[in-house]
Amino acid sequence: MIKLIKSTFYKEENTKKALIQFISSAKKLSFGQECEKFERNFARYQERKYCIFFNSGSSADLVLIQALLNLERFQKDDKIGFSAVTWPTNIMPLIQLGLRPVPIDIELDTLNISSQTLQKVLQVTSLKALFITNLLGFCDDIDAIKKICDEKNIILIEDNCESLGTVYKGRKLGNFGLASTFSFFVGHHLSTIEGGAVCTDDRELAEMLKLVRAHGWDRNLNNYQKKLLRKKFGIHSDFYESYTFYDLGYNFRPTEINGFIGNYQLKYIDEILQKRNANFIKLAPILYKKTKQYYPIKFDHIDFVSNFAVPLICKTEDFQGKLRKKCKNKIEIRPIVAGDLTQQPFFRKYMPFCANNFVYPNSQIVYKQGLYFGNNPDLTEEEIKEIIYVFTEK
Ligand SMILES: Cc1ncc(COP(=O)(O)O)c(C=O)c1O
């Protein structure tokens, strides 16, 4: 069976050995130096000023929205556009925190929002922000999307949990908006078992993200930032200063175990991404260009595709059904992310008007006719041959 996820980490044996040593000698395992080192390392890797490390990608999504509300850059009831094909916890925070999510259909040949699908929505409604999802290592014309957002004062934020390492027009995905989120869950590009991050160049936002991550207090800010905050709120007592809660927060801190693994795995990030990209380059021309049973997916406009799974959109539901049978006990497959989010029970419950009155045809096709299999850095040549055979055999 070719599994979606082969291992917990890249170089699993070495990583586990190093982890055992780390745990047995560490003086502290709750949030500390390893996490902060990972934040510096990951910010450098992503070419952003700040990285804030969380216990999951979902927490990163939620905290980003809460932080923008705390800073009053978002107001309750603001309309926020999102990709109709994404992960539920990308948009649940919008509902939970009293914003109005506005679904935007994706393009079938890139699986992403394009400037055209965005423009269509902007003809009928205005948006305060666009929370775009860079799906499965792909993007459409995100540079044109950014231009529209800049012109119309729409705050662009990116959920980059599925596209760490993709480069479009010389720039890494995750670096087009004000901030971007990442997931380090097992099977993603880089695993810390569970983990996530927000990257940004905005100092004020980075500070607020740290505050929201931990209870709303200031303990993870630097001394200068603490001093300013304490002065602003008139906190002059060393008895109370560590127990003052400045704004709405949660507790979504990662542990030193996650931090250590992140630093260890980050040494291999280029190798991991190169291997996944090499697999993709072997598979994609055959599956997308030579095979008529699938809608082709465009990727020539992307400098470097970095995905952890390869999507296929069948031309008919019947054919998708046949493939599901064929893959049983051979290749582990699953629906594409969460399909058309507007049709998921949670969305229908909380956003019935939106779910019942609009259709997102391409997102529907992706849900009903799509599937994906894993693109693991340790896929063997035999496994690649088997994948090609199963998905191209007539
Ligand atoms: C687009 C997207 N956003 C957010 C998440 C949530 O990440 P996590 O599983 O780390 O909570 C995922 C998870 O796979 C995802 O695919």
Side-chain angles (χ1 to χ4, degrees), residues 56-58 61 86-87 89-90 133 159 161-162 183-185 188 194-195 337:
S56 75
S58 304
D61 281 339
T86 181
W87 187 249
T89 51
N90 165 265
T133 296
D159 181 323
C161 291
E162 299 187 0
S183 165
F184 307 126
F185 179 59
H188 282 237
E194 294 275 7
V337 191

Side-chain angles (χ1 to χ4, degrees), residues 25-38:
S25 62
K27 293 211 167 52
K28 178 183 175 184
L29 287 172
S30 58
F31 185 94
Q33 283 179 1
E34 281 295 323
C35 291
E36 289 181 340
K37 184 170 155 196
F38 177 70

Side-chain angles (χ1 to χ4, degrees), residues 243-300:
Y243 293 90
T244 301
F245 302 87
Y246 296 95
D247 214 322
L248 297 181
Y250 307 89
N251 179 5
F252 291 143
R253 285 174 302 205
T255 68
E256 288 292 81
I257 294 174
N258 309 112
F260 176 83
I261 300 168
N263 289 316
Y264 196 87
Q265 288 286 302
L266 205 52
K267 290 189 285 196
Y268 298 118
I269 189 71
D270 291 333
E271 201 174 309
I272 297 171
L273 301 190
Q274 286 295 344
K275 285 191 175 179
R276 292 197 205 255
N277 177 266
N279 295 338
F280 179 74
I281 296 300
K282 275 182 210 156
L283 291 162
I286 298 169
L287 298 177
Y288 296 159
K289 291 189 178 160
K290 290 207 182 121
T291 315
K292 296 220 161 38
Q293 294 98 319
Y294 308 111
Y295 287 108
I297 295 178
K298 260 191 338 198
F299 57 93
D300 293 345

Side-chain angles (χ1 to χ4, degrees), residues 18-87:
L19 182 59
I20 289 166
Q21 264 204 334
F22 170 73
I23 292 175
S24 51
S25 62
K27 293 211 167 52
K28 178 183 175 184
L29 287 172
S30 58
F31 185 94
Q33 283 179 1
E34 281 295 323
C35 291
E36 289 181 340
K37 184 170 155 196
F38 177 70
E39 293 186 328
R40 288 191 298 278
N41 285 339
F42 193 74
R44 193 174 318 119
Y45 168 78
Q46 184 60 27
E47 296 155 10
R48 285 288 227 177
K49 280 193 189 146
Y50 308 101
C51 163
I52 293 86
F53 191 22
F54 294 95
N55 63 353
S56 75
S58 304
S59 319
D61 281 339
L62 173 56
V63 171
L64 176 58
I65 302 304
Q66 182 72 63
L68 289 166
L69 279 161
N70 289 1
L71 291 171
E72 298 176 13
R73 298 199 201 174
F74 286 179
Q75 307 289 336
K76 296 263 171 213
D77 271 340
D78 275 348
K79 288 183 190 163
I80 317 289
F82 74 94
S83 312
V85 179
T86 181
W87 187 249

Side-chain angles (χ1 to χ4, degrees), residues 136-138 166-167 273 276-277 280 299 302-307:
L136 292 172
F138 300 111
T166 290
V167 180
L273 301 190
R276 292 197 205 255
N277 177 266
F280 179 74
F299 57 93
I302 301 174
D303 304 337
F304 184 86
V305 175
S306 175
N307 55 27

